[in-house]
mmCIF file of all heavy atoms in Angstrom:
data_model
loop_
_atom_site.group_PDB
_atom_site.id
_atom_site.type_symbol
_atom_site.label_atom_id
_atom_site.label_comp_id
_atom_site.label_asym_id
_atom_site.label_seq_id
_atom_site.Cartn_x
_atom_site.Cartn_y
_atom_site.Cartn_z
ATOM 1 N N GLN A 1 40.182 27.790 -20.374
ATOM 2 C CA GLN A 1 41.220 28.066 -19.377
ATOM 3 C C GLN A 1 40.636 28.241 -17.990
ATOM 4 O O GLN A 1 41.366 28.195 -16.991
ATOM 5 C CB GLN A 1 41.993 29.329 -19.769
ATOM 6 C CG GLN A 1 41.123 30.569 -19.846
ATOM 7 C CD GLN A 1 41.919 31.796 -20.214
ATOM 8 O OE1 GLN A 1 42.500 32.434 -19.354
ATOM 9 N NE2 GLN A 1 41.949 32.120 -21.488
ATOM 10 N N ARG A 2 39.317 28.443 -17.878
ATOM 11 C CA ARG A 2 38.679 28.613 -16.575
ATOM 12 C C ARG A 2 38.174 27.283 -16.017
ATOM 13 O O ARG A 2 37.389 27.247 -15.079
ATOM 14 C CB ARG A 2 37.528 29.607 -16.703
ATOM 15 C CG ARG A 2 38.002 30.999 -17.085
ATOM 16 C CD ARG A 2 36.955 31.810 -17.791
ATOM 17 N NE ARG A 2 36.523 31.166 -19.023
ATOM 18 C CZ ARG A 2 35.811 31.792 -19.962
ATOM 19 N NH1 ARG A 2 35.482 33.047 -19.814
ATOM 20 N NH2 ARG A 2 35.430 31.151 -21.048
ATOM 21 N N TRP A 3 38.640 26.203 -16.595
ATOM 22 C CA TRP A 3 38.282 24.863 -16.118
ATOM 23 C C TRP A 3 38.727 24.695 -14.677
ATOM 24 O O TRP A 3 39.846 25.036 -14.302
ATOM 25 C CB TRP A 3 38.961 23.828 -17.011
ATOM 26 C CG TRP A 3 38.546 22.417 -16.755
ATOM 27 C CD1 TRP A 3 39.124 21.543 -15.893
ATOM 28 C CD2 TRP A 3 37.472 21.707 -17.377
ATOM 29 N NE1 TRP A 3 38.490 20.337 -15.936
ATOM 30 C CE2 TRP A 3 37.465 20.404 -16.846
ATOM 31 C CE3 TRP A 3 36.520 22.039 -18.337
ATOM 32 C CZ2 TRP A 3 36.550 19.442 -17.237
ATOM 33 C CZ3 TRP A 3 35.606 21.087 -18.731
ATOM 34 C CH2 TRP A 3 35.625 19.796 -18.189
ATOM 35 N N LEU A 4 37.849 24.149 -13.844
ATOM 36 C CA LEU A 4 38.154 23.979 -12.434
ATOM 37 C C LEU A 4 39.009 22.726 -12.235
ATOM 38 O O LEU A 4 38.612 21.628 -12.595
ATOM 39 C CB LEU A 4 36.856 23.863 -11.630
ATOM 40 C CG LEU A 4 37.002 23.860 -10.108
ATOM 41 C CD1 LEU A 4 37.518 25.206 -9.623
ATOM 42 C CD2 LEU A 4 35.666 23.540 -9.448
ATOM 43 N N GLY A 5 40.184 22.891 -11.673
ATOM 44 C CA GLY A 5 41.070 21.753 -11.426
ATOM 45 C C GLY A 5 41.883 21.388 -12.653
ATOM 46 O O GLY A 5 42.001 22.141 -13.616
ATOM 47 N N ASP A 6 42.471 20.190 -12.640
ATOM 48 C CA ASP A 6 43.301 19.727 -13.748
ATOM 49 C C ASP A 6 42.438 19.401 -14.958
ATOM 50 O O ASP A 6 41.347 18.842 -14.831
ATOM 51 C CB ASP A 6 44.088 18.474 -13.335
ATOM 52 C CG ASP A 6 45.068 18.760 -12.216
ATOM 53 O OD1 ASP A 6 45.574 19.888 -12.145
ATOM 54 O OD2 ASP A 6 45.323 17.850 -11.405
ATOM 55 N N TYR A 7 42.944 19.754 -16.149
ATOM 56 C CA TYR A 7 42.245 19.430 -17.383
ATOM 57 C C TYR A 7 42.909 18.210 -18.012
ATOM 58 O O TYR A 7 44.103 18.232 -18.336
ATOM 59 C CB TYR A 7 42.268 20.600 -18.362
ATOM 60 C CG TYR A 7 41.540 20.292 -19.651
ATOM 61 C CD1 TYR A 7 40.153 20.347 -19.711
ATOM 62 C CD2 TYR A 7 42.241 19.922 -20.803
ATOM 63 C CE1 TYR A 7 39.472 20.048 -20.881
ATOM 64 C CE2 TYR A 7 41.572 19.622 -21.971
ATOM 65 C CZ TYR A 7 40.192 19.684 -22.012
ATOM 66 O OH TYR A 7 39.524 19.377 -23.175
ATOM 67 N N GLN A 8 42.144 17.140 -18.172
ATOM 68 C CA GLN A 8 42.663 15.899 -18.739
ATOM 69 C C GLN A 8 42.086 15.688 -20.138
ATOM 70 O O GLN A 8 40.897 15.912 -20.364
ATOM 71 C CB GLN A 8 42.311 14.718 -17.836
ATOM 72 C CG GLN A 8 42.943 14.821 -16.449
ATOM 73 C CD GLN A 8 42.625 13.633 -15.570
ATOM 74 O OE1 GLN A 8 41.613 12.958 -15.755
ATOM 75 N NE2 GLN A 8 43.494 13.358 -14.600
ATOM 76 N N LEU A 9 42.948 15.251 -21.047
ATOM 77 C CA LEU A 9 42.574 15.126 -22.452
ATOM 78 C C LEU A 9 43.123 13.813 -22.998
ATOM 79 O O LEU A 9 44.295 13.488 -22.788
ATOM 80 C CB LEU A 9 43.144 16.299 -23.247
ATOM 81 C CG LEU A 9 42.930 16.299 -24.757
ATOM 82 C CD1 LEU A 9 41.449 16.497 -25.096
ATOM 83 C CD2 LEU A 9 43.771 17.389 -25.422
ATOM 84 N N THR A 10 42.270 13.074 -23.698
ATOM 85 C CA THR A 10 42.706 11.858 -24.368
ATOM 86 C C THR A 10 42.989 12.155 -25.830
ATOM 87 O O THR A 10 42.149 12.738 -26.528
ATOM 88 C CB THR A 10 41.622 10.764 -24.278
ATOM 89 O OG1 THR A 10 41.384 10.449 -22.911
ATOM 90 C CG2 THR A 10 42.067 9.504 -25.004
ATOM 91 N N VAL A 11 44.169 11.781 -26.286
ATOM 92 C CA VAL A 11 44.495 11.825 -27.717
ATOM 93 C C VAL A 11 44.493 10.382 -28.200
ATOM 94 O O VAL A 11 45.265 9.548 -27.724
ATOM 95 C CB VAL A 11 45.857 12.492 -27.971
ATOM 96 C CG1 VAL A 11 46.206 12.435 -29.452
ATOM 97 C CG2 VAL A 11 45.839 13.941 -27.484
ATOM 98 N N ALA A 12 43.582 10.078 -29.131
ATOM 99 C CA ALA A 12 43.373 8.700 -29.578
ATOM 100 C C ALA A 12 43.787 8.556 -31.036
ATOM 101 O O ALA A 12 43.541 9.439 -31.861
ATOM 102 C CB ALA A 12 41.904 8.303 -29.400
ATOM 103 N N THR A 13 44.416 7.428 -31.329
ATOM 104 C CA THR A 13 44.866 7.132 -32.692
ATOM 105 C C THR A 13 44.281 5.785 -33.127
ATOM 106 O O THR A 13 44.055 4.902 -32.291
ATOM 107 C CB THR A 13 46.404 7.071 -32.754
ATOM 108 O OG1 THR A 13 46.877 6.096 -31.809
ATOM 109 C CG2 THR A 13 47.011 8.420 -32.419
ATOM 110 N N PRO A 14 44.045 5.590 -34.431
ATOM 111 C CA PRO A 14 43.456 4.333 -34.887
ATOM 112 C C PRO A 14 44.439 3.166 -34.898
ATOM 113 O O PRO A 14 44.024 2.005 -34.953
ATOM 114 C CB PRO A 14 42.985 4.658 -36.302
ATOM 115 C CG PRO A 14 43.882 5.756 -36.753
ATOM 116 C CD PRO A 14 44.194 6.566 -35.528
ATOM 117 N N VAL A 15 45.732 3.468 -34.875
ATOM 118 C CA VAL A 15 46.768 2.431 -34.872
ATOM 119 C C VAL A 15 47.803 2.815 -33.825
ATOM 120 O O VAL A 15 47.835 3.951 -33.337
ATOM 121 C CB VAL A 15 47.450 2.304 -36.252
ATOM 122 C CG1 VAL A 15 46.458 1.846 -37.305
ATOM 123 C CG2 VAL A 15 48.080 3.639 -36.667
ATOM 124 N N PHE A 16 48.661 1.838 -33.477
ATOM 125 C CA PHE A 16 49.731 2.190 -32.564
ATOM 126 C C PHE A 16 50.677 3.146 -33.285
ATOM 127 O O PHE A 16 51.118 2.856 -34.402
ATOM 128 C CB PHE A 16 50.478 0.955 -32.074
ATOM 129 C CG PHE A 16 50.537 0.924 -30.580
ATOM 130 C CD1 PHE A 16 49.542 0.300 -29.844
ATOM 131 C CD2 PHE A 16 51.565 1.567 -29.914
ATOM 132 C CE1 PHE A 16 49.584 0.296 -28.460
ATOM 133 C CE2 PHE A 16 51.612 1.568 -28.529
ATOM 134 C CZ PHE A 16 50.619 0.933 -27.801
ATOM 135 N N PRO A 17 50.969 4.311 -32.687
ATOM 136 C CA PRO A 17 51.553 5.409 -33.441
ATOM 137 C C PRO A 17 52.893 5.110 -34.089
ATOM 138 O O PRO A 17 53.803 4.574 -33.463
ATOM 139 C CB PRO A 17 51.689 6.517 -32.388
ATOM 140 C CG PRO A 17 50.642 6.204 -31.396
ATOM 141 C CD PRO A 17 50.607 4.710 -31.326
ATOM 142 N N THR A 18 52.982 5.497 -35.338
ATOM 143 C CA THR A 18 54.257 5.640 -36.024
ATOM 144 C C THR A 18 54.786 7.031 -35.693
ATOM 145 O O THR A 18 54.149 7.798 -34.966
ATOM 146 C CB THR A 18 54.053 5.497 -37.528
ATOM 147 O OG1 THR A 18 53.137 6.531 -37.962
ATOM 148 C CG2 THR A 18 53.458 4.145 -37.878
ATOM 149 N N SER A 19 55.945 7.381 -36.233
ATOM 150 C CA SER A 19 56.485 8.716 -35.995
ATOM 151 C C SER A 19 55.545 9.786 -36.531
ATOM 152 O O SER A 19 55.423 10.874 -35.959
ATOM 153 C CB SER A 19 57.872 8.849 -36.631
ATOM 154 O OG SER A 19 57.811 8.590 -38.021
ATOM 155 N N GLU A 20 54.837 9.484 -37.628
ATOM 156 C CA GLU A 20 53.898 10.430 -38.210
ATOM 157 C C GLU A 20 52.721 10.674 -37.267
ATOM 158 O O GLU A 20 52.334 11.818 -37.000
ATOM 159 C CB GLU A 20 53.405 9.888 -39.555
ATOM 160 C CG GLU A 20 52.688 10.900 -40.421
ATOM 161 C CD GLU A 20 52.465 10.341 -41.817
ATOM 162 O OE1 GLU A 20 51.940 9.210 -41.941
ATOM 163 O OE2 GLU A 20 52.824 11.036 -42.794
ATOM 164 N N TYR A 21 52.154 9.598 -36.736
ATOM 165 C CA TYR A 21 51.042 9.742 -35.798
ATOM 166 C C TYR A 21 51.503 10.414 -34.504
ATOM 167 O O TYR A 21 50.756 11.192 -33.896
ATOM 168 C CB TYR A 21 50.419 8.383 -35.504
ATOM 169 C CG TYR A 21 49.252 8.053 -36.408
ATOM 170 C CD1 TYR A 21 49.430 7.277 -37.548
ATOM 171 C CD2 TYR A 21 47.990 8.537 -36.129
ATOM 172 C CE1 TYR A 21 48.369 6.984 -38.389
ATOM 173 C CE2 TYR A 21 46.913 8.249 -36.955
ATOM 174 C CZ TYR A 21 47.105 7.473 -38.086
ATOM 175 O OH TYR A 21 46.048 7.190 -38.911
ATOM 176 N N ALA A 22 52.706 10.123 -34.073
ATOM 177 C CA ALA A 22 53.229 10.766 -32.866
ATOM 178 C C ALA A 22 53.350 12.273 -33.065
ATOM 179 O O ALA A 22 53.051 13.064 -32.161
ATOM 180 C CB ALA A 22 54.580 10.162 -32.496
ATOM 181 N N THR A 23 53.776 12.688 -34.269
ATOM 182 C CA THR A 23 53.872 14.117 -34.583
ATOM 183 C C THR A 23 52.499 14.763 -34.545
ATOM 184 O O THR A 23 52.316 15.839 -33.961
ATOM 185 C CB THR A 23 54.514 14.320 -35.965
ATOM 186 O OG1 THR A 23 55.814 13.717 -35.981
ATOM 187 C CG2 THR A 23 54.638 15.798 -36.293
ATOM 188 N N TRP A 24 51.512 14.127 -35.149
ATOM 189 C CA TRP A 24 50.160 14.689 -35.140
ATOM 190 C C TRP A 24 49.616 14.791 -33.718
ATOM 191 O O TRP A 24 48.968 15.775 -33.359
ATOM 192 C CB TRP A 24 49.226 13.836 -35.998
ATOM 193 C CG TRP A 24 49.600 13.781 -37.443
ATOM 194 C CD1 TRP A 24 50.381 14.656 -38.126
ATOM 195 C CD2 TRP A 24 49.232 12.766 -38.383
ATOM 196 N NE1 TRP A 24 50.522 14.272 -39.437
ATOM 197 C CE2 TRP A 24 49.821 13.107 -39.619
ATOM 198 C CE3 TRP A 24 48.455 11.601 -38.305
ATOM 199 C CZ2 TRP A 24 49.651 12.331 -40.768
ATOM 200 C CZ3 TRP A 24 48.283 10.833 -39.448
ATOM 201 C CH2 TRP A 24 48.876 11.188 -40.672
ATOM 202 N N GLY A 25 49.876 13.777 -32.903
ATOM 203 C CA GLY A 25 49.420 13.823 -31.517
ATOM 204 C C GLY A 25 50.024 14.990 -30.758
ATOM 205 O O GLY A 25 49.353 15.648 -29.957
ATOM 206 N N ALA A 26 51.317 15.259 -30.991
ATOM 207 C CA ALA A 26 51.966 16.402 -30.344
ATOM 208 C C ALA A 26 51.369 17.713 -30.833
ATOM 209 O O ALA A 26 51.177 18.661 -30.051
ATOM 210 C CB ALA A 26 53.466 16.367 -30.614
ATOM 211 N N MET A 27 51.056 17.789 -32.119
ATOM 212 C CA MET A 27 50.502 19.024 -32.678
ATOM 213 C C MET A 27 49.141 19.350 -32.083
ATOM 214 O O MET A 27 48.860 20.501 -31.729
ATOM 215 C CB MET A 27 50.417 18.914 -34.203
ATOM 216 C CG MET A 27 51.775 18.857 -34.885
ATOM 217 S SD MET A 27 51.683 18.419 -36.645
ATOM 218 C CE MET A 27 50.891 19.875 -37.313
ATOM 219 N N VAL A 28 48.268 18.356 -31.938
ATOM 220 C CA VAL A 28 46.945 18.637 -31.377
ATOM 221 C C VAL A 28 47.044 18.886 -29.871
ATOM 222 O O VAL A 28 46.257 19.662 -29.312
ATOM 223 C CB VAL A 28 45.942 17.506 -31.699
ATOM 224 C CG1 VAL A 28 45.749 17.381 -33.203
ATOM 225 C CG2 VAL A 28 46.364 16.175 -31.094
ATOM 226 N N SER A 29 48.008 18.249 -29.196
ATOM 227 C CA SER A 29 48.219 18.518 -27.769
ATOM 228 C C SER A 29 48.671 19.958 -27.569
ATOM 229 O O SER A 29 48.226 20.644 -26.639
ATOM 230 C CB SER A 29 49.256 17.558 -27.185
ATOM 231 O OG SER A 29 48.836 16.213 -27.301
ATOM 232 N N GLN A 30 49.560 20.432 -28.445
ATOM 233 C CA GLN A 30 49.998 21.818 -28.355
ATOM 234 C C GLN A 30 48.857 22.779 -28.666
ATOM 235 O O GLN A 30 48.724 23.832 -28.032
ATOM 236 C CB GLN A 30 51.164 22.064 -29.312
ATOM 237 C CG GLN A 30 52.473 21.455 -28.866
ATOM 238 C CD GLN A 30 53.669 22.071 -29.573
ATOM 239 O OE1 GLN A 30 53.637 22.355 -30.769
ATOM 240 N NE2 GLN A 30 54.735 22.298 -28.822
ATOM 241 N N ALA A 31 48.013 22.418 -29.638
ATOM 242 C CA ALA A 31 46.864 23.272 -29.969
ATOM 243 C C ALA A 31 45.943 23.417 -28.768
ATOM 244 O O ALA A 31 45.476 24.519 -28.445
ATOM 245 C CB ALA A 31 46.103 22.696 -31.159
ATOM 246 N N ALA A 32 45.664 22.312 -28.072
ATOM 247 C CA ALA A 32 44.822 22.371 -26.871
ATOM 248 C C ALA A 32 45.468 23.254 -25.809
ATOM 249 O O ALA A 32 44.786 24.061 -25.163
ATOM 250 C CB ALA A 32 44.585 20.967 -26.330
ATOM 251 N N ALA A 33 46.784 23.142 -25.625
ATOM 252 C CA ALA A 33 47.476 23.940 -24.614
ATOM 253 C C ALA A 33 47.430 25.426 -24.941
ATOM 254 O O ALA A 33 47.287 26.265 -24.051
ATOM 255 C CB ALA A 33 48.934 23.469 -24.490
ATOM 256 N N VAL A 34 47.544 25.781 -26.229
ATOM 257 C CA VAL A 34 47.487 27.186 -26.631
ATOM 258 C C VAL A 34 46.112 27.775 -26.324
ATOM 259 O O VAL A 34 45.992 28.901 -25.834
ATOM 260 C CB VAL A 34 47.828 27.332 -28.126
ATOM 261 C CG1 VAL A 34 47.478 28.724 -28.636
ATOM 262 C CG2 VAL A 34 49.307 27.051 -28.359
ATOM 263 N N HIS A 35 45.045 27.009 -26.585
ATOM 264 C CA HIS A 35 43.699 27.507 -26.290
ATOM 265 C C HIS A 35 43.461 27.583 -24.777
ATOM 266 O O HIS A 35 42.760 28.481 -24.306
ATOM 267 C CB HIS A 35 42.650 26.617 -26.943
ATOM 268 C CG HIS A 35 42.589 26.765 -28.436
ATOM 269 N ND1 HIS A 35 42.132 27.908 -29.052
ATOM 270 C CD2 HIS A 35 42.942 25.924 -29.440
ATOM 271 C CE1 HIS A 35 42.198 27.763 -30.366
ATOM 272 N NE2 HIS A 35 42.696 26.567 -30.625
ATOM 273 N N LEU A 36 44.043 26.664 -24.015
ATOM 274 C CA LEU A 36 43.875 26.685 -22.563
ATOM 275 C C LEU A 36 44.702 27.783 -21.896
ATOM 276 O O LEU A 36 44.438 28.151 -20.748
ATOM 277 C CB LEU A 36 44.270 25.325 -21.974
ATOM 278 C CG LEU A 36 43.274 24.195 -22.228
ATOM 279 C CD1 LEU A 36 43.926 22.841 -21.985
ATOM 280 C CD2 LEU A 36 42.048 24.341 -21.344
ATOM 281 N N GLU A 37 45.719 28.268 -22.585
ATOM 282 C CA GLU A 37 46.585 29.374 -22.169
ATOM 283 C C GLU A 37 47.380 29.056 -20.910
ATOM 284 O O GLU A 37 48.568 28.787 -20.982
ATOM 285 C CB GLU A 37 45.779 30.666 -21.985
ATOM 286 C CG GLU A 37 45.240 31.207 -23.303
ATOM 287 C CD GLU A 37 44.664 32.592 -23.161
ATOM 288 O OE1 GLU A 37 45.079 33.328 -22.251
ATOM 289 O OE2 GLU A 37 43.780 32.946 -23.963
ATOM 290 N N TYR A 38 46.775 29.126 -19.724
ATOM 291 C CA TYR A 38 47.540 28.986 -18.486
ATOM 292 C C TYR A 38 47.296 27.652 -17.789
ATOM 293 O O TYR A 38 47.682 27.476 -16.642
ATOM 294 C CB TYR A 38 47.188 30.129 -17.524
ATOM 295 C CG TYR A 38 47.399 31.488 -18.143
ATOM 296 C CD1 TYR A 38 46.325 32.296 -18.486
ATOM 297 C CD2 TYR A 38 48.681 31.953 -18.408
ATOM 298 C CE1 TYR A 38 46.512 33.534 -19.068
ATOM 299 C CE2 TYR A 38 48.881 33.184 -18.993
ATOM 300 C CZ TYR A 38 47.802 33.983 -19.316
ATOM 301 O OH TYR A 38 48.001 35.210 -19.897
ATOM 302 N N LYS A 39 46.677 26.722 -18.450
ATOM 303 C CA LYS A 39 46.369 25.440 -17.823
ATOM 304 C C LYS A 39 46.839 24.337 -18.771
ATOM 305 O O LYS A 39 46.185 24.050 -19.770
ATOM 306 C CB LYS A 39 44.869 25.326 -17.545
ATOM 307 C CG LYS A 39 44.480 24.088 -16.758
ATOM 308 C CD LYS A 39 42.989 24.049 -16.527
ATOM 309 C CE LYS A 39 42.531 25.103 -15.572
ATOM 310 N NZ LYS A 39 43.013 24.876 -14.196
ATOM 311 N N THR A 40 47.966 23.736 -18.481
ATOM 312 C CA THR A 40 48.518 22.709 -19.359
ATOM 313 C C THR A 40 47.695 21.426 -19.255
ATOM 314 O O THR A 40 47.431 20.941 -18.157
ATOM 315 C CB THR A 40 49.967 22.394 -18.968
ATOM 316 O OG1 THR A 40 50.693 23.612 -18.850
ATOM 317 C CG2 THR A 40 50.627 21.516 -20.022
ATOM 318 N N PRO A 41 47.260 20.861 -20.383
ATOM 319 C CA PRO A 41 46.473 19.620 -20.311
ATOM 320 C C PRO A 41 47.336 18.429 -19.917
ATOM 321 O O PRO A 41 48.499 18.322 -20.309
ATOM 322 C CB PRO A 41 45.939 19.466 -21.737
ATOM 323 C CG PRO A 41 46.929 20.193 -22.600
ATOM 324 C CD PRO A 41 47.438 21.336 -21.768
ATOM 325 N N GLN A 42 46.741 17.539 -19.137
ATOM 326 C CA GLN A 42 47.354 16.241 -18.858
ATOM 327 C C GLN A 42 46.888 15.285 -19.949
ATOM 328 O O GLN A 42 45.698 15.013 -20.077
ATOM 329 C CB GLN A 42 46.930 15.727 -17.486
ATOM 330 C CG GLN A 42 47.423 16.570 -16.334
ATOM 331 C CD GLN A 42 47.008 16.007 -14.985
ATOM 332 O OE1 GLN A 42 46.286 15.023 -14.903
ATOM 333 N NE2 GLN A 42 47.466 16.630 -13.915
ATOM 334 N N ILE A 43 47.833 14.769 -20.733
ATOM 335 C CA ILE A 43 47.488 13.997 -21.922
ATOM 336 C C ILE A 43 47.503 12.500 -21.621
ATOM 337 O O ILE A 43 48.411 11.988 -20.943
ATOM 338 C CB ILE A 43 48.470 14.304 -23.075
ATOM 339 C CG1 ILE A 43 48.528 15.816 -23.330
ATOM 340 C CG2 ILE A 43 48.049 13.571 -24.337
ATOM 341 C CD1 ILE A 43 47.231 16.443 -23.773
#
């Protein structure tokens, strides 16, 4: 959370996402945001 400036994060999938992969991508994006606390990641 003490990262200087905007925090950018790549979420990568092995295939073009189905609804299942899209759900997993949202879950890991939310996990990163919870750990960052006050700094929302740019995905």
Side-chain angles (χ1 to χ4, degrees):
Q1 61 179 275
R2 296 155 300 194
W3 188 270
L4 188 66
D6 296 329
Y7 180 79
Q8 297 182 335
L9 176 68
T10 299
V11 176
T13 56
V15 296
F16 233 90
T18 60
S19 58
E20 194 170 51
Y21 267 96
T23 302
W24 297 339
M27 293 169 68
V28 298
S29 299
Q30 287 198 320
V34 167
H35 288 291
L36 287 163
E37 292 190 26
Y38 304 109
K39 186 180 290 292
T40 310
Q42 295 181 356
I43 306 297

